[in-house]
Amino acid sequence: MSTVAALGAAATVLAQDIKVTPTVPPGAPQLLNLVNYLSWIVMLAGIAALIYAGGKFGWERFHGGAIESPKIILGALVGGIIATSAGGIMNAVVTGGT
């Protein structure tokens, strides 16, 4: 058997269709529910951080101290964005993007 014939036979085998039927893994609804609860907790913590940073910003402005509260606000906003997108990302991963 020549090399060309062997490569042709191998290409024919590799080119066959593979039928895959995706299924939801066991425990997926519980994992998604946990991620949603964690997202809510992080969002509430972010709102509390924004309220705290606003009060601290007012205190720093009133007393003339170093202004550090914008860092807290930025951290709360970034955390909120990550927490908001985590549920959608996990939903896409668990359900296979459908």
Side-chain angles (χ1 to χ4, degrees), residues 68-98:
E68 297 177 0
S69 54
K71 296 176 190 174
I72 299 171
I73 294 173
L74 182 64
L77 292 175
V78 169
I81 291 169
I82 292 171
T84 303
S85 62
I89 293 170
M90 284 303 295
N91 191 17
V93 169
V94 169
T95 61
T98 58

Side-chain angles (χ1 to χ4, degrees), residues 32-89:
L32 192 57
N33 196 16
L34 176 67
V35 169
N36 286 334
Y37 280 135
L38 290 175
S39 176
W40 272 103
I41 291 170
V42 170
M43 291 299 290
L44 290 175
I47 291 169
L50 286 174
I51 292 170
Y52 171 75
K56 187 173 180 178
F57 184 71
W59 182 265
E60 290 169 351
R61 295 286 287 176
F62 182 71
H63 289 288
I67 299 177
E68 297 177 0
S69 54
K71 296 176 190 174
I72 299 171
I73 294 173
L74 182 64
L77 292 175
V78 169
I81 291 169
I82 292 171
T84 303
S85 62
I89 293 170

